[in-house]
Amino acid sequence: MLRDREALSRRLSRIYRREEQKADPGKLSELLDAAERQARASVEERRYRRDHRPRVSFPEILPITSKREQIVRLIKENQVVIVSGETGCGKSTQIPKMCLQAGRGLAGKIGCTQPRRIAAITIAHRIAEELGEEVGRSVGYKIRFREKASKQAFIKIMTDGMLLAETQGDTGLYEYDTLIIDEAHERSLNIDFILGILRTLLPRRPELKVIITSATLDTEKFSAAFGHAPVVNVQGRTYPVEVEYLPIDPDLEDEGELTYVDMAVKAIDGLREKRRYGDILVFMPTEEDILETCERLEGRGYPGTTILPLFARLPASEQGRVYSVSGSKIVVATNVAETSLTIPGIRYVIDTGLARISQYLPRTRTTSLPISPISQSSADQRKGRCGRVNHGVCIRLYSEEDYESRSPFTLPEIQRSNLAEVILRMLFLNLGHPSTFPFLDPPAERSVKDGLDLLTELGAVTQEGEQPALTGKGKLMARMPLDPRIARMMIEATHEGCLGEVAVIAAALSIQDPRERPVEKAPQADQAHSPFKDPDSDFLTLLNIWNRYHREW
């Protein structure tokens, strides 16, 4: 096994050094016996994995199945393969099985990263079902605070953040003989960081195979970054999709008399009046918009129709209802439904053309999440969610001219983010200076400088020499999966004797605000929040909520 190969190499090096130092022969013999036992156990484990590799089959209905032989051959012949395929073509569930068919998963696991937790769980369950097993045997998953993957697993689906966390204890990623970076087109900070790490790792790991998948055709950059790796294009299984434009009157919108929620509800009413039946997917930018839309649709009382919200913070059991509900449904979702999930039965899409897109503000060194227009690529992804079961209709709540004026692709997150956390991890992993790291799109020099300056102010980094270096505090902060500022709070709290209280505040600052304040119910929300409010500190308000919850519930 690959993980044992590295461990055995270190163990044998120590034995060799002891032999040079004229160590006790009896002790050396014991150490050699232990190394031999480890090697034999590793060989036996690999033999067991070879003999118990799951039998795989591929649903003929999925478009990617027609490319199976080509993909398997390319995996065998190349270290890196790029697969481009429309959402719903089957790449997330079938490529891990194709890796098994290509002989992968024997010397290490087949790891597959996903941008979102719900996708990691859903895909793991689907692959396990296709193998005729329960999750946790041949197929497992790992997300923050939850892992259901055995040591004997062949396939492990995880969030990209989990793979990054594993690099701290396994810098060479020897647990895996194959890594699939799924949904790479999203170009999140984690995805770009992982791709950069892999570019530095592959020359040292010639036996490691990497498959990068994208739901867009913008694959040239991925291919060029990995030595012009071969690209496989998979066509989706789609029916024609008609696009209708239903822009909001800008004057009424400016006066607050008409909102995109109003227009979305109006569009659904229009579909029902025209007797256009079929499941509907509505894209909204925020949770508040989703809950308001769901409430208003519930009030419409559409017969035999289930209204379902879908956003990342929703409990997994609630998210799973989009797959289990029978009969007609209307799903109101954030961009979590744009590419990560394929919701069955969708015939109509209503697209507000908006999403919360993070934006770093260098002047204040803060990150905001404003509601912003999505790119053409994202709009096309949303359109592609319908037309998979029959002719589809995508209603865009903006004009065609607006669509044509939008940027072709969303700006990579690394070019609009605070880089302090990335720089901290890079220094901890000895990956060199951020300006020389092989990112697909290098960040702006100003962003790198801001990140280093912030880490210096926090006492995590010194910049006295040519290369920035981690301090003792910095090494401790790098081991915490937190924003560096919050990690620094935790360290200081240990000295001030208030770690318990600050841990609660740090947790609250690491997630979305637990307080909900729907616009139409703002007075009631303020009244409900008032008993917890501390006049001197929002932080203490959060602590009051925690204490009250644990005291009374």
Side-chain angles (χ1 to χ4, degrees):
M1 301 297 290
L2 291 170
R3 65 173 187 275
D4 296 321
R5 187 185 303 175
E6 183 69 10
L8 274 168
S9 176
R10 290 195 299 268
R11 174 175 273 186
L12 291 172
S13 295
R14 288 196 297 269
I15 293 172
Y16 180 72
R17 286 196 299 272
R18 288 197 174 198
E19 186 180 29
E20 286 186 326
Q21 296 165 3
K22 309 297 184 185
D24 176 39
K27 185 64 176 176
L28 285 175
S29 179
E30 288 179 16
L31 293 172
L32 282 169
D33 287 344
E36 183 180 0
R37 286 194 299 272
Q38 182 181 2
R40 288 184 182 279
S42 185
V43 169
E44 189 59 37
E45 182 181 353
R46 178 161 178 164
R47 185 180 294 120
Y48 178 88
R49 292 175 72 84
R50 182 196 64 199
D51 295 341
H52 293 81
R53 185 170 54 185
R55 298 176 66 87
V56 295
S57 60
F58 301 89
E60 292 296 331
I61 194 172
L62 292 175
I64 199 168
T65 300
S66 64
K67 300 280 188 175
R68 174 176 58 86
E69 291 184 3
Q70 180 186 4
I71 293 172
V72 169
R73 176 176 55 80
L74 288 173
I75 291 171
K76 289 179 177 179
E77 296 174 354
N78 299 273
Q79 192 173 17
V80 181
V81 178
I82 317 294
V83 179
S84 168
E86 295 176 8
T87 303
C89 73
K91 58 186 183 299
S92 297
T93 55
Q94 303 308 307
I95 289 178
K97 295 192 299 179
M98 291 177 189
C99 290
L100 277 175
Q101 191 173 51
R104 311 304 298 173
L106 300 183
K109 291 186 179 73
I110 298 167
C112 178
T113 67
Q114 293 294 328
R116 297 176 180 85
R117 290 173 294 173
I118 180 176
I121 296 171
T122 303
I123 289 166
H125 277 276
R126 181 61 184 171
I127 296 174
E129 181 184 330
E130 291 184 3
L131 294 179
E133 299 182 2
E134 294 290 325
V135 168
R137 292 179 58 195
S138 296
V139 184
Y141 65 83
K142 183 179 182 181
I143 62 175
R144 182 179 282 196
F145 306 129
R146 195 190 318 171
E147 181 173 7
K148 198 169 185 181
S150 69
K151 184 182 176 183
Q152 291 75 33
F154 287 84
I155 298 170
K156 185 166 97 175
I157 316 293
M158 68 201 116
T159 53
D160 40 35
M162 285 293 97
L163 182 63
L164 276 178
E166 288 182 8
T167 60
Q168 294 192 355
D170 179 14
T171 55
L173 294 173
Y174 285 102
E175 183 180 347
Y176 308 97
D177 72 1
T178 307
L179 283 169
I180 303 165
I181 311 304
D182 203 8
E183 309 289 3
H185 62 273
E186 292 204 6
R187 299 295 305 280
S188 69
L189 204 56
N190 282 349
I191 288 172
D192 272 17
F193 194 17
I194 288 172
L195 292 175
I197 289 173
L198 290 176
R199 289 178 72 183
T200 64
L201 187 61
L202 286 173
R204 295 186 283 119
R205 290 277 317 272
E207 80 291 341
L208 177 66
K209 302 279 188 176
V210 172
I211 297 95
I212 299 168
T213 81
S214 172
T216 68
L217 294 176
D218 183 32
T219 54
E220 293 84 0
K221 186 171 289 185
F222 295 126
S223 176
F226 288 91
H228 299 286
V231 178
V232 181
N233 291 311
V234 182
Q235 296 298 317
R237 183 188 71 253
T238 57
Y239 293 87
V241 176
E242 176 188 350
V243 179
E244 298 179 6
Y245 291 92
L246 191 66
I248 303 175
D249 186 313
D251 294 331
L252 293 177
E253 187 177 24
D254 290 342
E255 294 170 7
E257 295 184 17
L258 192 65
T259 67
Y260 47 79
V261 172
D262 297 327
M263 290 298 292
V265 173
K266 179 181 176 182
I268 294 171
D269 285 340
L271 290 173
R272 292 299 169 130
E273 288 170 7
K274 296 175 184 176
R275 296 187 177 276
R276 286 180 161 183
Y277 296 112
D279 293 348
I280 302 171
L281 174 59
V282 185
F283 284 99
M284 286 286 166
T286 72
E287 289 181 20
E288 292 79 6
D289 295 328
I290 288 172
L291 297 174
E292 180 187 350
T293 305
C294 287
E295 186 175 332
R296 291 176 60 175
L297 292 175
E298 291 281 6
R300 289 293 201 272
Y302 299 128
T305 301
T306 305
I307 313 298
L308 298 168
L310 181 63
F311 47 86
R313 201 168 60 147
L314 204 63
S317 58
E318 289 294 309
Q319 292 179 353
R321 292 185 65 209
V322 298
Y323 300 103
S324 59
V325 165
S326 57
S328 177
K329 63 179 179 285
I330 300 174
V331 180
V332 189
T334 58
N335 55 359
V336 69
E338 199 171 288
T339 58
S340 291
L341 302 171
T342 298
I343 301 170
I346 298 299
R347 190 170 178 186
Y348 302 99
V349 164
I350 296 172
D351 177 18
T352 58
L354 301 168
R356 280 204 184 278
I357 300 174
S358 64
Q359 191 68 46
Y360 177 59
L361 307 173
R363 181 174 295 180
T364 58
R365 291 186 184 173
T366 58
T367 299
S368 63
L369 270 174
I371 296 174
S372 307
I374 60 173
S375 65
Q376 290 182 8
S377 175
S378 291
D380 293 341
Q381 289 295 322
R382 293 182 177 189
K383 181 186 77 171
R385 309 315 281 161
C386 59
R388 300 194 179 279
V389 292
N390 209 320
H391 287 68
V393 176
C394 175
I395 301 173
R396 289 175 172 162
L397 304 182
Y398 47 97
S399 67
E400 188 171 5
E401 293 75 22
D402 185 357
Y403 169 79
E404 295 293 344
S405 68
R406 297 187 178 198
S407 60
F409 298 97
T410 306
L411 192 68
E413 190 178 5
I414 197 163
Q415 296 184 341
R416 50 183 171 84
S417 295
N418 176 8
L419 299 180
E421 186 173 357
V422 170
I423 294 170
L424 188 66
R425 288 191 182 187
M426 287 181 63
L427 295 175
F428 184 77
L429 296 172
N430 295 315
L431 294 174
H433 197 282
S435 60
T436 60
F437 187 72
F439 288 114
L440 264 68
D441 290 288
E445 288 185 17
R446 170 71 184 273
S447 297
V448 174
K449 183 180 183 303
D450 282 350
L452 284 169
D453 288 347
L454 175 59
L455 292 173
T456 303
E457 290 174 17
L458 294 173
V461 164
T462 58
Q463 299 190 64
E464 296 174 358
E466 291 184 7
Q467 289 277 17
L470 287 182
T471 63
K473 285 191 179 75
K475 291 174 183 176
L476 190 57
M477 290 164 62
R479 299 183 70 87
M480 301 184 197
L482 297 169
D483 180 285
R485 289 165 292 193
I486 296 176
R488 184 67 178 85
M489 284 169 48
M490 296 284 284
I491 292 173
E492 194 63 27
T494 60
H495 301 309
E496 299 293 336
C498 55
L499 181 59
E501 292 83 355
V502 171
V504 172
I505 295 168
L509 293 176
S510 300
I511 61 171
Q512 287 180 279
D513 194 326
R515 295 166 292 182
E516 293 188 0
R517 193 175 184 270
V519 175
E520 74 282 0
K521 294 183 179 178
Q524 297 97 309
D526 291 340
Q527 185 177 358
H529 298 161
S530 61
F532 308 102
K533 190 171 180 63
D534 187 290
D536 299 321
S537 171
D538 286 342
F539 291 168
L540 293 180
T541 298
L542 293 168
L543 185 60
N544 290 338
I545 294 171
W546 172 272
N547 290 336
R548 176 81 169 271
Y549 175 83
H550 282 275
R551 187 169 62 245
E552 297 189 6
W553 285 283

